[in-house]
Amino acid sequence: LYLETNDKGESVLIESKGNYLLMDLGSYGNVDAIISYLKVQGITQLDLYFSHLHLDHCGGGLVGNMVTCGVEKLTGAGITIRTLYLPDPSLAPESSNYSEKYRRFREFMNNKNIVYLKPGDRFAVGDADVQIIGPVNTDQFHPSDYEDKKPSGDGDEESVKYTYYENNCALIAKISCGTVSYLSLSDVLEDEVAQLLKENKALLKADILKLS
């Protein structure tokens, strides 16, 4: 979904046989446009996938509960979240404030219908197969590696180094349906891409690539 709003972010809608997966939610300012599109399409329930928990991916903003305000608006508009897919917490153990964000999402979902994803996991959206292929070797990344980085406007973290670290720990998904494959790199940097190439280069082959 390409959104004509001032807030940055991204959101991709996958559909197969009447089943829907919304991959990321952009920033809070994007959510109204997403809701409008879903309503025009007659979509009232979907699965929601967050590649990582930066505010420009999970619909967050500086209103109310800044982490879950986007999903609260989504459900408040009558869109049911059947399953919430989140990165497994083990993928970014040195994150600065992810533990609190996970707590907020568990609370929002009443500790139900949450699936934590890591490389090797798969799930279906209709006839589409979603395979998590990354991030890999995240134990080789540390916030201290990015002390010299400048702000990218890409996160809400207290320190720029955590933003870069958490981007490299984001989920990478390959979606296949029939003979067509789609690869989503989320916000990973060249560090993680190098690890992916070393780990399993063949998995990165796809018909459609969404750049990080």
Side-chain angles (χ1 to χ4, degrees):
L1 307 177
Y2 292 88
L3 308 170
E4 294 181 358
T5 67
N6 293 327
D7 284 340
K8 66 190 295 293
E10 64 182 55
S11 186
V12 175
L13 182 67
I14 302 292
E15 183 273 335
S16 176
K17 289 197 168 179
N19 296 277
Y20 298 92
L21 176 70
L22 189 62
M23 301 181 72
D24 292 320
L25 201 52
S27 300
Y28 183 74
N30 302 147
V31 178
D32 283 335
I34 293 172
I35 290 172
S36 176
Y37 179 82
L38 295 175
K39 289 198 168 187
V40 167
Q41 301 301 315
I43 300 168
T44 58
Q45 59 179 0
L46 47 75
D47 296 326
L48 183 59
Y49 163 108
F50 290 146
S51 61
H52 59 303
L53 301 186
H54 286 168
L55 297 187
D56 61 332
H57 285 258
C58 66
L62 302 178
V63 296
N65 184 340
M66 62 186 295
V67 178
T68 60
C69 57
V71 290
E72 289 169 3
K73 177 173 273 194
L74 190 69
T75 57
I79 309 296
T80 299
I81 301 172
R82 300 190 307 178
T83 302
L84 176 62
Y85 293 100
L86 299 176
D88 192 278
S90 66
L91 297 177
E94 297 180 55
S95 173
S96 63
N97 62 13
Y98 268 21
S99 59
E100 173 62 13
K101 291 182 178 182
Y102 279 110
R103 187 189 71 78
R104 295 284 188 178
F105 281 117
R106 286 194 300 268
E107 185 179 80
F108 174 78
M109 295 293 290
N110 295 315
N111 289 306
K112 298 177 181 177
N113 303 322
I114 299 178
V115 175
Y116 298 99
L117 298 171
K118 52 188 175 182
D121 289 341
R122 306 178 93 119
F123 62 95
V125 181
D127 282 347
D129 173 55
V130 183
Q131 181 181 6
I132 305 302
I133 65 172
V136 297
N137 303 332
T138 56
D139 59 336
Q140 299 188 31
F141 305 136
H142 309 281
S144 59
D145 297 334
Y146 309 103
E147 295 276 5
D148 61 340
K149 296 294 186 181
K150 296 180 180 179
S152 62
D154 204 26
D156 57 294
E157 311 310 318
E158 60 189 19
S159 173
V160 172
K161 63 183 180 182
Y162 287 104
T163 298
Y164 280 82
Y165 167 73
E166 289 158 359
N167 279 343
N168 259 339
C169 297
L171 292 175
I172 300 165
K174 185 172 183 179
I175 302 164
S176 302
C177 193
T179 61
V180 178
S181 57
Y182 170 85
L183 181 63
S184 176
L185 287 177
S186 186
D187 279 354
V188 300
L189 309 173
E190 60 184 336
D191 316 46
E192 171 60 20
V193 172
Q195 293 295 329
L196 282 164
L197 288 168
K198 184 168 63 175
E199 188 83 8
N200 196 333
K201 186 176 180 178
L203 271 180
L204 293 174
K205 293 182 179 180
D207 299 296
I208 302 167
L209 169 65
K210 189 195 73 62
L211 289 170
S212 56

